[in-house]
Amino acid sequence: MSLSLIAFLVLVAAFAVGSFTKINAGLLATIAAFGVGTLLAGMSVKDVIGQFPAGLFFILVGATLLFAIVRINGTIDLLAYWAERLAGNRKVLVPILMFLLTAALASAGAFTPAAIAIVAPVGLALGMRFGISTLAMGLVIVQGANAGAFSPVNPFGVLGNKMLDAAGAADDSLKLYAYCFIFNAVLAVIAYVLVQAIMKRRTAKTTARLGGGDTGIDHDGGPSTPAADGAGGSGTAVLTAPARTSVAGQRAAGSAPVKVAATPMRILTLAGIASLLVLTTVLGMDVGVASLVIAGVLIILDSNVQKPALESMPWSAIILVTGIVTYVGMLEKMGALKELQEGIAGLGNSSLAALIASYVVAIVSAFASTTGTLGVISPVVAPIAMDPLLTPVGVVTAIAISSSVVDVSPMSTSGALLMASAQPKDERMFFRALLLWAIAMIGVVPLLAWFLFVQLGVG
């Protein structure tokens, strides 16, 4: 067995342990990097430490700190209040606004699970009020997060842009974002229409079987809400945010919007988010530095947010991502990735290699971290994307979409957050539905994305 194969198997083992236990795969990968690097590859400890992605670490810390402040100081509640006021009694606007709100947060730099956890309490409460199925709304929110995930300031987008840069197509950053946004927007529409139609058909069958009696499901496709009927039950199924449930998520479904004041601090926070986009996309400032500067200014203006913001940051996710990327850097240093790249080149067909890579990231990401998966595949994608017969942005877009679209899997963080929204009596159905949807995404989306962006060369 070759040294490179052993090194890859160790990484696979770290992913497996992290997926099926509570042990952080990034922590295991960091430890394994020192073990494999020093004992097997003959590297020095200093060489292994040098593979730590300091730039990515600052991006993760800066972005997550900034959006912890956004949540804690109530700015997200203000956005939710504006969204609900805008929707009024127009049912069709509810999923659109929730999609756009989640996409906006992800586009501004929020981790996709963080964006989902922030918006879901609002979106599911509104969905219950308007008779939209929890599953349909949940899928729309996840697709919204994925739509904004490949913006230049999001951690997903940073990894995607590294692939573009390695392929000599750094100027296509906004194209990658736009293509992923449009693809996920279309997928959100399909998911919403399909699930709502299925739920209505289920409702009609149940109603006919029971002779028109109360089925516990309203006729718009969503579960009935005892709270809205005055029964005072636990009919409003919402997702629980990690540290603080939003105001919109706390109130009973069907009640009037709870007014959220546009305080000076919240307005300044919105200005800070807008500044982040300008500083990074227009002026070219490093995402991590810009995020930390803006977060620092907000903390100076209101020091009370510092402690809860730091405590609520997803340190486990940060360790996961940086640990996996450190191990991948060690693999590259020892030459293991070069062997893998040569193996892919040996296929003699870069288009086929892109399709295989798309399916690999889709399958792995369904059970593991999308950011970790992108970090692993990133060095392998560059030689594929550099093929003159293909467009670099097309290859990277196919990989990006394939890796993120399966985040709805109940074994992933985003899927687990949606599972938390199911009422106890619906948990088994909800789990099966999310799993079936994830399997469908694995089977269909990589092929579709490959055909559109690699074969047809869109971009």
Side-chain angles (χ1 to χ4, degrees):
M1 185 180 293
S2 70
L3 181 60
S4 296
L5 180 57
I6 294 174
F8 277 114
L9 290 177
V10 170
L11 179 59
V12 171
F15 263 114
V17 173
S19 299
F20 297 105
T21 72
K22 295 181 179 180
I23 301 174
N24 190 297
L27 179 60
L28 293 177
T30 302
I31 297 170
F34 286 98
V36 174
T38 58
L39 299 179
L40 297 182
M43 297 168 60
S44 67
V45 171
K46 185 177 180 181
D47 285 338
V48 178
I49 292 175
Q51 307 312 310
F52 180 80
L56 179 59
F57 173 78
F58 280 109
I59 290 171
L60 296 175
V61 170
T64 54
L65 177 61
L66 176 58
F67 281 91
I69 295 172
V70 170
R71 177 176 50 78
I72 289 166
N73 68 15
T75 302
I76 185 60
D77 290 328
L78 177 62
L79 291 173
Y81 171 66
W82 287 346
E84 189 168 6
R85 287 290 301 272
L86 183 61
N89 291 317
R90 291 163 290 191
K91 176 178 177 178
V92 69
L93 284 182
V94 175
I96 295 174
L97 289 173
M98 293 303 101
F99 175 91
L100 292 176
L101 179 55
T102 319
L105 289 173
S107 297
F111 252 138
T112 53
I116 292 167
I118 288 170
V119 176
V122 180
L124 293 175
L126 286 177
M128 298 290 282
R129 189 184 121 192
F130 283 88
I132 299 172
S133 80
T134 304
L135 180 61
M137 185 61 77
L139 291 175
V140 166
I141 290 172
V142 171
Q143 295 310 137
N146 288 339
F150 287 91
S151 82
V153 299
N154 190 283
F156 282 18
V158 170
L159 292 170
N161 289 333
K162 283 186 176 181
M163 288 188 255
L164 286 176
D165 188 45
D171 293 340
D172 287 337
S173 173
L174 291 180
K175 281 187 178 181
L176 171 64
Y177 171 51
Y179 295 155
C180 290
F181 193 102
I182 294 170
F183 190 97
N184 280 284
V186 173
L187 190 56
V189 173
I190 294 172
Y192 178 80
V193 172
L194 182 62
V195 173
Q196 281 291 89
I198 292 173
M199 293 302 291
K200 283 185 177 181
R201 189 158 58 246
R202 284 167 55 96
T203 301
K205 288 181 179 179
T206 305
T207 302
R209 187 171 64 251
L210 298 179
D214 183 10
T215 65
I217 303 175
D218 68 32
H219 295 280
D220 288 317
S224 65
T225 56
D229 297 333
S234 57
T236 306
V238 298
L239 290 178
T240 304
R244 179 176 178 271
T245 304
S246 65
V247 171
Q250 291 175 337
R251 68 182 183 78
S255 61
V258 177
K259 184 175 181 179
V260 179
T263 63
M265 193 63 205
R266 290 168 182 165
I267 297 300
L268 286 172
T269 302
L270 291 175
I273 295 174
S275 299
L276 175 65
L277 296 175
V278 173
L279 289 172
T280 54
T281 60
V282 178
L283 301 180
M285 182 181 288
D286 180 81
V287 176
V289 173
S291 299
L292 284 172
V293 168
I294 295 169
V297 171
L298 294 176
I299 288 173
I300 290 172
L301 294 174
D302 181 10
S303 60
N304 291 326
V305 302
Q306 177 180 282
K307 188 174 186 294
L310 289 172
E311 290 177 347
S312 64
M313 286 175 62
W315 292 108
S316 179
I318 293 172
I319 292 172
L320 170 66
V321 175
T322 55
I324 293 294
V325 174
T326 298
Y327 192 92
V328 171
M330 185 276 300
L331 288 176
E332 191 166 20
K333 184 77 173 178
M334 67 181 284
L337 289 181
K338 186 176 180 180
E339 289 186 26
L340 180 60
Q341 291 166 0
E342 290 173 351
I344 291 176
L347 292 173
N349 188 324
S350 294
S351 179
L352 177 60
L355 177 61
I356 293 173
S358 295
Y359 271 105
V360 168
V361 296
I363 294 170
V364 173
S365 186
F367 299 93
S369 160
T370 301
T371 42
T373 304
L374 286 172
V376 171
I377 203 69
S378 178
V380 179
V381 172
I384 300 174
M386 292 173 68
D387 189 317
L389 298 178
L390 306 178
T391 59
V393 69
V395 173
V396 175
T397 300
I399 297 293
I401 290 173
S402 300
S403 66
S404 60
V405 78
V406 296
D407 284 354
V408 73
S409 162
M411 276 77 76
S412 72
T413 305
S414 298
L417 286 169
L418 292 185
M419 276 295 297
S421 71
Q423 297 183 47
K425 65 183 180 65
D426 295 330
E427 282 182 356
R428 291 179 63 84
M429 181 275 292
F430 210 72
F431 180 87
R432 288 197 301 269
L434 291 179
L435 185 59
L436 287 173
W437 184 264
I439 292 172
M441 293 300 97
I442 292 173
V444 175
V445 170
L447 180 62
L448 178 60
W450 170 80
F451 179 74
L452 287 174
F453 299 104
V454 179
Q455 283 294 93
L456 297 184
V458 173

